[in-house]
Amino acid sequence: MTVRHISTGSPFETQIGYSRAVVADGWVFVAGTTGYDYETMRMPDSIEAQCENALATIDAALRAAGSGLDHVVRVSYVVPDKSEWSQCWPITSAAFAKAKPAATMISAALQNAEMKIEIEVTARVPA
């Protein structure tokens, strides 16, 4: 089995010991991704902006793997404040309009208080 690791350069990847994505046997597994702008390491205040940033980071990792958002088959969302979740629906609906992946939303605390959403996906590398 060939395995390829993809990094965004996030300091968390090194500190915690994980890859943003792992490509194995035609699958792409993208780690839980929060809304940081990894170029500036700044976190926006709104859940909407964090959701957009997380999806942009995920999309970049998927593209580096030879895939993309249209090939996502599973997505999990974690939000600390479930009352904010519906604010992300227009964003996630647009991002996954074609893929329509199986999805789960969990409400739980995240690593840092400023984090309002974390998104994890599994995708296929198209043949």
Side-chain angles (χ1 to χ4, degrees):
M1 171 171 59
T2 302
V3 175
R4 187 164 51 107
H5 298 89
I6 296 170
S7 173
T8 59
S10 163
F12 295 127
E13 294 171 22
T14 301
Q15 292 167 354
I16 298 170
Y18 70 96
S19 297
R20 176 65 46 207
V22 176
V23 184
D25 290 337
W27 291 98
V28 186
F29 303 93
V30 182
T33 303
T34 60
Y36 281 104
D37 175 336
Y38 287 107
E39 291 181 17
T40 65
M41 282 309 293
R42 293 184 190 207
M43 179 70 80
D45 292 328
S46 76
I47 192 170
E48 296 93 339
Q50 288 189 26
C51 184
E52 289 169 348
N53 280 1
L55 288 169
T57 300
I58 290 167
D59 187 44
L62 290 171
R63 289 181 185 281
S67 188
L69 292 175
D70 289 348
H71 302 286
V72 171
V73 297
R74 179 87 176 125
V75 60
S76 295
Y77 305 98
V78 181
V79 294
D81 182 352
K82 64 184 176 183
S83 71
E84 291 186 316
W85 169 228
S86 63
Q87 297 169 46
C88 294
W89 295 355
I91 300 162
T92 59
S93 178
F96 298 117
K98 183 175 179 184
K100 298 199 182 313
T104 300
M105 189 285 285
I106 299 165
S107 182
L110 295 175
Q111 181 172 300
N112 296 336
E114 65 186 351
M115 296 173 175
K116 295 185 177 188
I117 189 166
E118 184 168 333
I119 305 170
E120 177 182 282
V121 306
T122 302
R124 291 291 294 164
V125 176

